[in-house]
Amino acid sequence: MTTSTARPLVDDDLDWVVAALGRRRAALVPHAPVFWRPAPDAAARHREHLTHLLGDGGALGWRTDDAVLVAARLGDGWLVDDAAAPDDRWDDEGALLWEAFSGECRGSSVRFVCPTYETGRAAFARGVGLAVSESWWLRELDGPGGGGPGVRVALPGAAARTVAAPPVYAPPGPVLFLPGPVGDGRAVSAALGEAPGLGCSAVVVNQPAGGPGLLDVLRRAGFRRHCDYLTGTVA
């Protein structure tokens, strides 16, 4: 078991936090090299973002010697995305961070972002009582990209829009995002047909848990389950 402790983040921690979260992102890039292609100035952009979140943004954050968790405001609840721990240390380092978080936010709703490649992170989130509410299915595309965000696209049985990547990433074009629920398999084929002409670098289909069964359609079309969103109450 760890002998570390969880302590609130202070300004002097920011360089360490940016480096720790940068290492986490770097480990994810090989799993989706187009979707997660890093921006050249990713560290500076992320530092600016965290400074805002932890200041005017009202976020809360804690760190141990080896792990960090930032809880950002999401409506009346919280979003946990900027969090990192060695994959085999979530049970101890992660537990310390969650104990600090729950001490401040017990009873609030929380949304925990868990890329499917981070198995320890996802197991930890389930262990604190959260459950998958939706999953993003991803297919990366070849091509020059070059499109822009904010374009709305009508598809059979679904609506889609082009979405820019967060500033820490620099894919060659936006994502064509189908927010769901997507109940018609024709929407998947139509999205793949529309995306290149819109200069998109990837297509993402959001599938709510327990929703219409498109999993076989998505797999046959070359999509993979890329990221789970676990939700629940902080306990």
Side-chain angles (χ1 to χ4, degrees):
M1 292 293 291
T2 182
T3 58
S4 184
T5 59
R7 54 197 183 276
L9 293 178
V10 297
D11 288 346
D12 287 347
D13 290 319
L14 271 181
D15 288 339
W16 180 89
V17 171
V18 168
L21 294 173
R23 290 191 294 272
R24 181 222 169 193
R25 290 197 309 276
L28 286 170
V29 168
H31 297 288
V34 175
F35 187 88
W36 278 326
R37 189 172 81 176
D41 57 350
R45 285 179 173 268
H46 202 191
R47 195 182 203 285
E48 181 180 0
H49 174 66
L50 290 170
T51 299
H52 165 70
L53 282 183
L54 293 164
D56 295 339
L60 301 173
W62 300 267
R63 63 162 291 189
T64 65
D65 290 343
D66 299 307
V68 60
L69 183 149
V70 176
R73 290 285 184 181
L74 182 66
D76 294 331
W78 301 93
L79 171 70
V80 175
D81 187 2
D82 283 315
D87 209 40
D88 61 349
R89 300 299 301 279
W90 275 102
D91 283 346
D92 50 16
E93 298 281 313
L96 288 171
L97 294 169
W98 195 265
E99 182 179 2
F101 173 44
S102 64
E104 293 279 346
C105 305
R106 185 173 288 109
S108 299
S109 64
V110 63
R111 179 176 170 89
F112 201 128
V113 184
C114 290
T116 58
Y117 321 102
E118 294 181 302
T119 55
R121 180 187 182 101
F124 174 79
R126 291 192 295 270
V128 296
L130 308 183
V132 175
S133 60
E134 57 192 21
S135 299
W136 283 11
W137 287 70
L138 168 71
R139 177 169 163 182
E140 297 185 319
L141 304 176
D142 297 324
V151 178
R152 296 188 177 275
V153 183
L155 302 171
R161 64 181 185 272
T162 60
V163 178
V168 294
Y169 302 115
V175 168
L176 184 58
F177 180 54
L178 285 66
V182 178
D184 191 326
R186 294 177 299 165
V188 175
S189 297
L192 292 172
E194 293 279 355
L198 295 167
C200 292
S201 60
V203 178
V204 169
V205 179
N206 183 32
Q207 283 290 276
L214 285 183
L215 304 191
D216 288 342
V217 171
L218 289 165
R219 291 189 184 100
R220 288 197 300 269
F223 287 77
R224 65 182 185 275
R225 200 178 104 251
H226 169 70
C227 193
D228 292 332
Y229 293 85
L230 289 85
T231 59
T233 300
V234 182

